Short mmCIF file of all heavy atoms in Angstrom, two decimals:
data_model
loop_
_atom_site.label_atom_id
_atom_site.label_comp_id
_atom_site.label_asym_id
_atom_site.label_seq_id
_atom_site.Cartn_x
_atom_site.Cartn_y
_atom_site.Cartn_z
N LYS A 44 -24.74 -35.42 -68.00
CA LYS A 44 -24.88 -35.58 -66.62
C LYS A 44 -25.00 -37.01 -66.22
O LYS A 44 -26.10 -37.55 -66.41
CB LYS A 44 -26.07 -34.74 -66.10
CG LYS A 44 -26.23 -34.73 -64.61
CD LYS A 44 -27.40 -33.89 -64.25
CE LYS A 44 -27.67 -33.90 -62.79
NZ LYS A 44 -28.79 -33.15 -62.33
N PRO A 45 -24.01 -37.72 -65.83
CA PRO A 45 -22.59 -37.32 -65.67
C PRO A 45 -21.87 -37.41 -67.04
O PRO A 45 -22.27 -38.16 -67.93
CB PRO A 45 -22.05 -38.32 -64.74
CG PRO A 45 -22.75 -39.55 -64.98
CD PRO A 45 -24.19 -39.14 -65.36
N TYR A 46 -20.78 -36.73 -67.11
CA TYR A 46 -19.90 -36.80 -68.30
C TYR A 46 -19.00 -38.00 -68.13
O TYR A 46 -18.42 -38.20 -67.08
CB TYR A 46 -19.08 -35.53 -68.53
CG TYR A 46 -18.12 -35.62 -69.73
CD1 TYR A 46 -18.71 -35.79 -71.00
CD2 TYR A 46 -16.82 -35.58 -69.64
CE1 TYR A 46 -18.00 -35.96 -72.12
CE2 TYR A 46 -16.00 -35.72 -70.75
CZ TYR A 46 -16.61 -35.85 -71.98
OH TYR A 46 -15.80 -35.97 -73.14
N GLN A 47 -18.87 -38.78 -69.17
CA GLN A 47 -18.02 -40.07 -69.13
C GLN A 47 -16.99 -40.08 -70.15
O GLN A 47 -16.71 -41.19 -70.70
CB GLN A 47 -18.99 -41.20 -69.23
CG GLN A 47 -20.02 -41.25 -68.05
CD GLN A 47 -21.03 -42.39 -68.20
OE1 GLN A 47 -21.35 -42.83 -69.32
NE2 GLN A 47 -21.53 -42.76 -67.04
N ASN A 48 -16.36 -38.97 -70.44
CA ASN A 48 -15.19 -38.91 -71.36
C ASN A 48 -15.54 -39.47 -72.76
O ASN A 48 -14.76 -40.19 -73.42
CB ASN A 48 -13.95 -39.67 -70.79
CG ASN A 48 -13.29 -38.92 -69.72
OD1 ASN A 48 -13.37 -37.67 -69.69
ND2 ASN A 48 -12.58 -39.57 -68.82
N ASN A 49 -16.76 -39.12 -73.22
CA ASN A 49 -17.18 -39.69 -74.51
C ASN A 49 -17.60 -38.65 -75.58
O ASN A 49 -18.25 -39.01 -76.51
CB ASN A 49 -18.29 -40.70 -74.24
CG ASN A 49 -19.48 -40.07 -73.53
OD1 ASN A 49 -19.38 -38.97 -73.06
ND2 ASN A 49 -20.51 -40.86 -73.40
N TRP A 50 -17.28 -37.30 -75.37
CA TRP A 50 -17.66 -36.36 -76.38
C TRP A 50 -16.71 -36.42 -77.58
O TRP A 50 -15.50 -36.38 -77.43
CB TRP A 50 -17.68 -34.96 -75.85
CG TRP A 50 -18.22 -33.94 -76.84
CD1 TRP A 50 -19.35 -34.12 -77.58
CD2 TRP A 50 -17.69 -32.67 -77.15
NE1 TRP A 50 -19.53 -33.00 -78.36
CE2 TRP A 50 -18.49 -32.08 -78.11
CE3 TRP A 50 -16.59 -31.98 -76.73
CZ2 TRP A 50 -18.25 -30.86 -78.67
CZ3 TRP A 50 -16.32 -30.78 -77.25
CH2 TRP A 50 -17.16 -30.21 -78.21
N LYS A 51 -17.26 -36.62 -78.74
CA LYS A 51 -16.47 -36.82 -79.95
C LYS A 51 -16.75 -35.65 -80.93
O LYS A 51 -16.55 -35.78 -82.13
CB LYS A 51 -16.80 -38.13 -80.70
CG LYS A 51 -16.35 -39.38 -79.85
CD LYS A 51 -16.67 -40.60 -80.62
CE LYS A 51 -16.24 -41.78 -79.79
NZ LYS A 51 -16.43 -43.04 -80.52
N GLY A 52 -17.21 -34.55 -80.40
CA GLY A 52 -17.46 -33.33 -81.23
C GLY A 52 -18.78 -33.36 -81.94
O GLY A 52 -18.92 -32.75 -83.01
N GLU A 53 -19.85 -34.00 -81.30
CA GLU A 53 -21.16 -34.12 -81.93
C GLU A 53 -22.12 -33.33 -80.99
O GLU A 53 -21.93 -33.42 -79.83
CB GLU A 53 -21.61 -35.51 -82.08
CG GLU A 53 -20.74 -36.31 -83.05
CD GLU A 53 -20.94 -37.80 -83.07
OE1 GLU A 53 -21.59 -38.29 -82.07
OE2 GLU A 53 -20.53 -38.47 -83.99
N SER A 54 -23.09 -32.73 -81.56
CA SER A 54 -24.10 -32.06 -80.77
C SER A 54 -25.13 -33.05 -80.23
O SER A 54 -25.49 -34.02 -80.88
CB SER A 54 -24.83 -31.04 -81.54
OG SER A 54 -25.84 -30.41 -80.83
N ASN A 55 -25.59 -32.87 -78.93
CA ASN A 55 -26.65 -33.72 -78.45
C ASN A 55 -27.75 -32.83 -77.89
O ASN A 55 -28.62 -33.29 -77.06
CB ASN A 55 -26.07 -34.62 -77.41
CG ASN A 55 -25.75 -33.97 -76.07
OD1 ASN A 55 -25.71 -32.75 -76.01
ND2 ASN A 55 -25.46 -34.74 -75.05
N THR A 56 -27.77 -31.61 -78.29
CA THR A 56 -28.90 -30.70 -77.87
C THR A 56 -29.72 -30.23 -79.04
O THR A 56 -29.32 -30.30 -80.17
CB THR A 56 -28.29 -29.43 -77.14
OG1 THR A 56 -27.65 -28.61 -78.13
CG2 THR A 56 -27.29 -29.78 -76.05
N THR A 57 -30.90 -29.69 -78.75
CA THR A 57 -31.77 -29.16 -79.78
C THR A 57 -31.66 -27.66 -79.82
O THR A 57 -32.41 -26.98 -80.55
CB THR A 57 -33.16 -29.61 -79.56
OG1 THR A 57 -33.61 -29.17 -78.26
CG2 THR A 57 -33.38 -31.07 -79.73
N THR A 58 -30.76 -27.07 -79.07
CA THR A 58 -30.63 -25.64 -79.05
C THR A 58 -30.46 -25.06 -80.38
O THR A 58 -31.05 -24.08 -80.78
CB THR A 58 -29.36 -25.26 -78.14
OG1 THR A 58 -29.57 -25.78 -76.84
CG2 THR A 58 -29.28 -23.71 -77.99
N LEU A 59 -29.60 -25.68 -81.17
CA LEU A 59 -29.36 -25.20 -82.55
C LEU A 59 -29.82 -26.16 -83.59
O LEU A 59 -29.46 -26.05 -84.75
CB LEU A 59 -27.85 -24.96 -82.68
CG LEU A 59 -27.20 -24.02 -81.69
CD1 LEU A 59 -25.67 -23.98 -81.85
CD2 LEU A 59 -27.77 -22.61 -81.86
N LYS A 60 -30.69 -27.11 -83.22
CA LYS A 60 -31.21 -28.05 -84.12
C LYS A 60 -30.05 -28.90 -84.77
O LYS A 60 -30.10 -29.12 -85.98
CB LYS A 60 -32.15 -27.47 -85.15
CG LYS A 60 -33.31 -26.79 -84.47
CD LYS A 60 -34.27 -26.20 -85.50
CE LYS A 60 -35.35 -25.52 -84.72
NZ LYS A 60 -36.36 -24.84 -85.49
N LEU A 61 -29.15 -29.34 -83.97
CA LEU A 61 -27.98 -30.03 -84.46
C LEU A 61 -27.84 -31.48 -83.90
O LEU A 61 -26.75 -32.02 -83.95
CB LEU A 61 -26.66 -29.23 -84.14
CG LEU A 61 -26.51 -27.90 -84.77
CD1 LEU A 61 -25.33 -27.18 -84.22
CD2 LEU A 61 -26.37 -28.04 -86.31
N VAL A 62 -28.82 -31.97 -83.30
CA VAL A 62 -28.67 -33.28 -82.60
C VAL A 62 -28.06 -34.27 -83.49
O VAL A 62 -28.55 -34.53 -84.62
CB VAL A 62 -30.03 -33.78 -82.02
CG1 VAL A 62 -29.91 -35.14 -81.47
CG2 VAL A 62 -30.60 -32.85 -81.04
N GLY A 63 -27.00 -34.80 -83.08
CA GLY A 63 -26.26 -35.91 -83.86
C GLY A 63 -25.30 -35.30 -84.91
O GLY A 63 -24.45 -36.07 -85.42
N ASP A 64 -25.34 -34.03 -85.18
CA ASP A 64 -24.45 -33.46 -86.15
C ASP A 64 -23.11 -33.13 -85.54
O ASP A 64 -23.00 -32.84 -84.37
CB ASP A 64 -25.02 -32.15 -86.74
CG ASP A 64 -26.20 -32.31 -87.64
OD1 ASP A 64 -26.47 -33.46 -88.07
OD2 ASP A 64 -26.83 -31.27 -87.92
N GLU A 65 -22.08 -33.26 -86.35
CA GLU A 65 -20.73 -32.80 -85.86
C GLU A 65 -20.67 -31.33 -85.79
O GLU A 65 -21.19 -30.63 -86.68
CB GLU A 65 -19.67 -33.30 -86.87
CG GLU A 65 -19.44 -34.77 -86.91
CD GLU A 65 -18.31 -35.18 -87.83
OE1 GLU A 65 -17.82 -34.30 -88.67
OE2 GLU A 65 -17.84 -36.29 -87.68
N VAL A 66 -20.14 -30.84 -84.72
CA VAL A 66 -19.96 -29.38 -84.64
C VAL A 66 -18.73 -28.98 -85.51
O VAL A 66 -17.87 -29.85 -85.72
CB VAL A 66 -19.76 -28.93 -83.14
CG1 VAL A 66 -20.98 -29.24 -82.29
CG2 VAL A 66 -18.51 -29.56 -82.47
N VAL A 67 -18.67 -27.74 -85.88
CA VAL A 67 -17.55 -27.33 -86.72
C VAL A 67 -16.28 -27.17 -85.91
O VAL A 67 -16.30 -26.99 -84.67
CB VAL A 67 -17.89 -26.00 -87.42
CG1 VAL A 67 -19.09 -26.19 -88.33
CG2 VAL A 67 -18.13 -24.91 -86.41
N ASP A 68 -15.15 -27.27 -86.63
CA ASP A 68 -13.88 -26.98 -85.96
C ASP A 68 -13.86 -25.60 -85.33
O ASP A 68 -14.44 -24.67 -85.93
CB ASP A 68 -12.73 -27.06 -86.95
CG ASP A 68 -12.42 -28.50 -87.40
OD1 ASP A 68 -13.18 -29.40 -87.08
OD2 ASP A 68 -11.37 -28.70 -88.05
N GLY A 69 -13.23 -25.43 -84.24
CA GLY A 69 -13.18 -24.18 -83.61
C GLY A 69 -12.98 -24.20 -82.09
O GLY A 69 -12.67 -25.23 -81.52
N THR A 70 -13.19 -23.08 -81.47
CA THR A 70 -13.00 -22.96 -79.98
C THR A 70 -14.34 -22.97 -79.34
O THR A 70 -15.27 -22.30 -79.77
CB THR A 70 -12.23 -21.65 -79.70
OG1 THR A 70 -11.00 -21.63 -80.37
CG2 THR A 70 -12.05 -21.52 -78.20
N TYR A 71 -14.46 -23.79 -78.26
CA TYR A 71 -15.72 -23.96 -77.56
C TYR A 71 -15.43 -23.63 -76.12
O TYR A 71 -14.35 -23.81 -75.57
CB TYR A 71 -16.27 -25.36 -77.71
CG TYR A 71 -16.74 -25.57 -79.11
CD1 TYR A 71 -15.86 -25.98 -80.08
CD2 TYR A 71 -18.03 -25.41 -79.47
CE1 TYR A 71 -16.31 -26.13 -81.39
CE2 TYR A 71 -18.50 -25.60 -80.74
CZ TYR A 71 -17.61 -25.94 -81.69
OH TYR A 71 -18.07 -26.18 -83.00
N PHE A 72 -16.44 -23.14 -75.36
CA PHE A 72 -16.34 -22.87 -73.96
C PHE A 72 -17.08 -23.97 -73.15
O PHE A 72 -18.10 -24.44 -73.56
CB PHE A 72 -17.07 -21.54 -73.61
CG PHE A 72 -17.03 -21.11 -72.23
CD1 PHE A 72 -15.88 -20.57 -71.68
CD2 PHE A 72 -18.21 -21.20 -71.45
CE1 PHE A 72 -15.85 -20.22 -70.39
CE2 PHE A 72 -18.15 -20.80 -70.11
CZ PHE A 72 -17.00 -20.35 -69.58
N TYR A 73 -16.42 -24.45 -72.10
CA TYR A 73 -17.02 -25.45 -71.23
C TYR A 73 -17.23 -24.99 -69.83
O TYR A 73 -16.47 -24.23 -69.30
CB TYR A 73 -16.21 -26.73 -71.27
CG TYR A 73 -14.89 -26.68 -70.62
CD1 TYR A 73 -14.75 -26.77 -69.21
CD2 TYR A 73 -13.72 -26.41 -71.36
CE1 TYR A 73 -13.47 -26.65 -68.58
CE2 TYR A 73 -12.49 -26.30 -70.72
CZ TYR A 73 -12.39 -26.41 -69.38
OH TYR A 73 -11.19 -26.28 -68.74
N ILE A 74 -18.24 -25.57 -69.21
CA ILE A 74 -18.42 -25.46 -67.74
C ILE A 74 -18.59 -26.90 -67.24
O ILE A 74 -19.38 -27.69 -67.72
CB ILE A 74 -19.77 -24.69 -67.52
CG1 ILE A 74 -19.62 -23.28 -68.02
CG2 ILE A 74 -20.08 -24.71 -65.98
CD1 ILE A 74 -20.98 -22.46 -67.91
N LEU A 75 -17.70 -27.22 -66.29
CA LEU A 75 -17.73 -28.56 -65.63
C LEU A 75 -18.06 -28.33 -64.16
O LEU A 75 -17.36 -27.68 -63.43
CB LEU A 75 -16.37 -29.16 -65.80
CG LEU A 75 -16.13 -30.45 -65.03
CD1 LEU A 75 -17.09 -31.56 -65.58
CD2 LEU A 75 -14.71 -30.95 -65.12
N LYS A 76 -19.20 -28.88 -63.81
CA LYS A 76 -19.63 -28.93 -62.41
C LYS A 76 -19.22 -30.25 -61.84
O LYS A 76 -19.64 -31.30 -62.36
CB LYS A 76 -21.12 -28.65 -62.29
CG LYS A 76 -21.56 -27.34 -62.83
CD LYS A 76 -23.04 -27.16 -62.73
CE LYS A 76 -23.49 -25.85 -63.28
NZ LYS A 76 -24.99 -25.62 -63.19
N LEU A 77 -18.46 -30.23 -60.77
CA LEU A 77 -17.94 -31.45 -60.20
C LEU A 77 -19.00 -32.15 -59.26
O LEU A 77 -19.30 -33.24 -59.46
CB LEU A 77 -16.60 -31.28 -59.47
CG LEU A 77 -15.43 -30.73 -60.38
CD1 LEU A 77 -14.27 -30.38 -59.56
CD2 LEU A 77 -15.15 -31.79 -61.39
N ASN A 78 -19.39 -31.39 -58.27
CA ASN A 78 -20.42 -31.81 -57.38
C ASN A 78 -20.91 -30.65 -56.46
O ASN A 78 -20.43 -29.55 -56.70
CB ASN A 78 -20.02 -33.04 -56.49
CG ASN A 78 -18.76 -32.72 -55.63
OD1 ASN A 78 -18.58 -31.61 -55.14
ND2 ASN A 78 -17.89 -33.71 -55.48
N ALA A 79 -21.81 -30.87 -55.61
CA ALA A 79 -22.32 -29.76 -54.77
C ALA A 79 -21.33 -29.14 -53.87
O ALA A 79 -21.43 -27.99 -53.49
CB ALA A 79 -23.57 -30.25 -53.98
N GLU A 80 -20.28 -29.93 -53.48
CA GLU A 80 -19.35 -29.44 -52.48
C GLU A 80 -18.17 -28.67 -53.08
O GLU A 80 -17.54 -27.90 -52.44
CB GLU A 80 -18.85 -30.53 -51.62
CG GLU A 80 -19.87 -31.20 -50.72
CD GLU A 80 -20.72 -32.20 -51.47
OE1 GLU A 80 -20.20 -32.90 -52.30
OE2 GLU A 80 -21.90 -32.26 -51.18
N GLU A 81 -17.79 -29.01 -54.30
CA GLU A 81 -16.54 -28.49 -54.90
C GLU A 81 -16.86 -27.50 -56.03
O GLU A 81 -17.81 -27.65 -56.78
CB GLU A 81 -15.70 -29.58 -55.42
CG GLU A 81 -15.26 -30.53 -54.36
CD GLU A 81 -14.09 -31.43 -54.81
OE1 GLU A 81 -13.23 -30.94 -55.46
OE2 GLU A 81 -14.08 -32.52 -54.40
N LYS A 82 -16.03 -26.54 -56.09
CA LYS A 82 -16.16 -25.51 -57.13
C LYS A 82 -15.90 -26.14 -58.46
O LYS A 82 -14.94 -26.98 -58.69
CB LYS A 82 -15.21 -24.35 -56.87
CG LYS A 82 -15.30 -23.19 -57.84
CD LYS A 82 -14.36 -22.10 -57.54
CE LYS A 82 -14.46 -20.99 -58.54
NZ LYS A 82 -13.53 -19.88 -58.21
N GLY A 83 -16.67 -25.80 -59.50
CA GLY A 83 -16.48 -26.27 -60.83
C GLY A 83 -15.36 -25.66 -61.56
O GLY A 83 -14.60 -24.84 -61.01
N LYS A 84 -15.24 -26.03 -62.82
CA LYS A 84 -14.17 -25.48 -63.70
C LYS A 84 -14.82 -24.94 -64.98
O LYS A 84 -15.86 -25.47 -65.36
CB LYS A 84 -13.20 -26.60 -63.98
CG LYS A 84 -12.63 -27.40 -62.85
CD LYS A 84 -11.24 -27.04 -62.54
CE LYS A 84 -10.75 -27.94 -61.42
NZ LYS A 84 -9.82 -27.22 -60.61
N ASN A 85 -14.15 -24.03 -65.57
CA ASN A 85 -14.58 -23.61 -66.91
C ASN A 85 -13.37 -23.17 -67.69
O ASN A 85 -12.32 -22.90 -67.08
CB ASN A 85 -15.66 -22.48 -66.83
CG ASN A 85 -15.16 -21.24 -66.06
OD1 ASN A 85 -14.19 -20.68 -66.49
ND2 ASN A 85 -15.77 -20.92 -64.97
N GLY A 86 -13.52 -23.14 -68.95
CA GLY A 86 -12.41 -22.73 -69.86
C GLY A 86 -12.81 -22.94 -71.31
O GLY A 86 -13.96 -23.13 -71.68
N TYR A 87 -11.76 -23.05 -72.10
CA TYR A 87 -11.85 -23.22 -73.56
C TYR A 87 -11.32 -24.51 -73.99
O TYR A 87 -10.28 -24.94 -73.46
CB TYR A 87 -11.27 -22.04 -74.29
CG TYR A 87 -11.97 -20.74 -74.01
CD1 TYR A 87 -11.54 -19.88 -72.95
CD2 TYR A 87 -13.01 -20.32 -74.72
CE1 TYR A 87 -12.16 -18.73 -72.70
CE2 TYR A 87 -13.71 -19.11 -74.44
CZ TYR A 87 -13.26 -18.31 -73.43
OH TYR A 87 -13.91 -17.13 -73.18
N ILE A 88 -11.84 -25.07 -75.06
CA ILE A 88 -11.34 -26.29 -75.68
C ILE A 88 -11.34 -26.05 -77.20
O ILE A 88 -12.29 -25.46 -77.76
CB ILE A 88 -12.23 -27.50 -75.38
CG1 ILE A 88 -11.65 -28.77 -76.03
CG2 ILE A 88 -13.67 -27.35 -75.73
CD1 ILE A 88 -10.91 -29.64 -75.12
N GLU A 89 -10.22 -26.39 -77.76
CA GLU A 89 -10.06 -26.26 -79.25
C GLU A 89 -10.33 -27.59 -79.90
O GLU A 89 -9.76 -28.59 -79.55
CB GLU A 89 -8.59 -25.85 -79.59
CG GLU A 89 -8.35 -25.53 -80.99
CD GLU A 89 -8.99 -24.19 -81.46
OE1 GLU A 89 -9.31 -23.33 -80.68
OE2 GLU A 89 -9.19 -24.04 -82.64
N LEU A 90 -11.29 -27.64 -80.86
CA LEU A 90 -11.66 -28.81 -81.57
C LEU A 90 -11.18 -28.66 -83.00
O LEU A 90 -11.55 -27.78 -83.69
CB LEU A 90 -13.17 -29.04 -81.51
CG LEU A 90 -13.75 -30.28 -82.16
CD1 LEU A 90 -15.04 -30.60 -81.39
CD2 LEU A 90 -13.95 -30.15 -83.64
N ARG A 91 -10.29 -29.65 -83.45
CA ARG A 91 -9.73 -29.65 -84.80
C ARG A 91 -9.76 -31.04 -85.35
O ARG A 91 -9.21 -31.96 -84.74
CB ARG A 91 -8.29 -29.18 -84.83
CG ARG A 91 -8.15 -27.71 -84.41
CD ARG A 91 -8.53 -26.83 -85.66
NE ARG A 91 -8.42 -25.45 -85.21
CZ ARG A 91 -9.34 -24.57 -85.45
NH1 ARG A 91 -10.42 -24.80 -86.15
NH2 ARG A 91 -9.22 -23.27 -85.04
#
Side-chain angles (χ1 to χ4, degrees):
K44 182 180 178 181
Y46 180 61
Q47 300 176 331
N48 285 334
N49 56 352
W50 187 46
K51 295 181 179 182
E53 298 168 342
S54 177
N55 72 350
T56 70
T57 57
T58 304
L59 303 173
K60 299 182 181 178
L61 295 172
V62 176
D64 288 348
E65 289 183 345
V66 298
V67 298
D68 287 10
T70 302
Y71 292 83
F72 180 75
Y73 67 83
I74 296 174
L75 174 64
K76 297 179 181 181
L77 298 173
N78 58 37
E80 295 81 37
E81 296 196 40
K82 184 177 179 182
K84 310 251 182 215
N85 60 61
Y87 295 91
I88 179 101
E89 186 74 20
L90 184 152
R91 293 281 177 227

